[in-house]
Amino acid sequence: KKGTLTMSFDINAFLSASVTEPISDKAPQVPTGRYMARVADLSDGKGVETWITAPSGNQKSPRLAVPFVIVDEGVQRAMGRTTPPTKSQSFFLNVDSANHLDPKNNAAFGQLLAALKIGGSNPGEIFSKLPGAGPLYITIAPDKKDDQYTRVVKFEAAA
């Protein structure tokens, strides 16, 4: 079957194995650079979350986490991975009082949609076009708040 992974896992071998070096407490980051990517699968519903944004705790703002699959075998090898690396970028979506996307205050999300050539008039229509969309170029740079992490800072259409 497509998308099915079969593997055998021996719990006893796992539990009796020795760790030869300390386990890292830092997740490996995709190196900074410009990479070809595509949007990963969002069909499990994990892409949209809600965050409380007001101090009173009664106003909620949607947050969209978009995972990208990096389509660059050189990065995959450099990271020592057997599967393509992924990088997620979150967008806090500004909505009006009727919960419609505010077309003037969602620039970063708009840049992603333009790079993917995705249009639409409502979030359901737009979100349905995201899974697997691409290719596009993403630029990854150090996070401004914590340089041990990286973040997606630019989206560009692929030719």
Side-chain angles (χ1 to χ4, degrees), residues 88-105:
S88 290
Q89 182 62 39
S90 296
F91 302 90
F92 283 96
L93 301 175
N94 292 301
V95 295
D96 63 19
S97 59
N99 288 318
H100 297 125
L101 278 176
D102 182 343
K104 296 180 182 173
N105 291 306

Side-chain angles (χ1 to χ4, degrees), residues 59-137:
Q59 180 183 353
K60 294 186 178 185
S61 177
R63 175 179 163 265
L64 177 68
V66 178
F68 297 94
V69 176
I70 308 295
V71 186
D72 185 318
E73 290 180 8
V75 173
Q76 183 176 326
R77 281 191 303 276
M79 293 180 71
R81 296 180 55 106
T82 58
T83 58
T86 59
K87 182 68 183 169
S88 290
Q89 182 62 39
S90 296
F91 302 90
F92 283 96
L93 301 175
N94 292 301
V95 295
D96 63 19
S97 59
N99 288 318
H100 297 125
L101 278 176
D102 182 343
K104 296 180 182 173
N105 291 306
N106 286 295
F109 186 55
Q111 290 166 5
L112 170 63
L113 296 178
L116 291 169
K117 300 176 180 81
I118 291 178
S121 59
N122 67 57
E125 180 182 353
I126 293 168
F127 294 168
S128 72
K129 295 176 183 177
L130 283 173
L136 76 157
Y137 287 103

Side-chain angles (χ1 to χ4, degrees), residues 125-156:
E125 180 182 353
I126 293 168
F127 294 168
S128 72
K129 295 176 183 177
L130 283 173
L136 76 157
Y137 287 103
I138 61 173
T139 300
I140 298 175
D143 188 284
K144 290 179 182 178
K145 295 179 184 175
D146 188 344
D147 63 4
Q148 76 172 335
Y149 296 105
T150 57
R151 61 193 288 292
V152 180
V153 296
K154 188 174 183 181
F155 309 99
E156 299 171 81

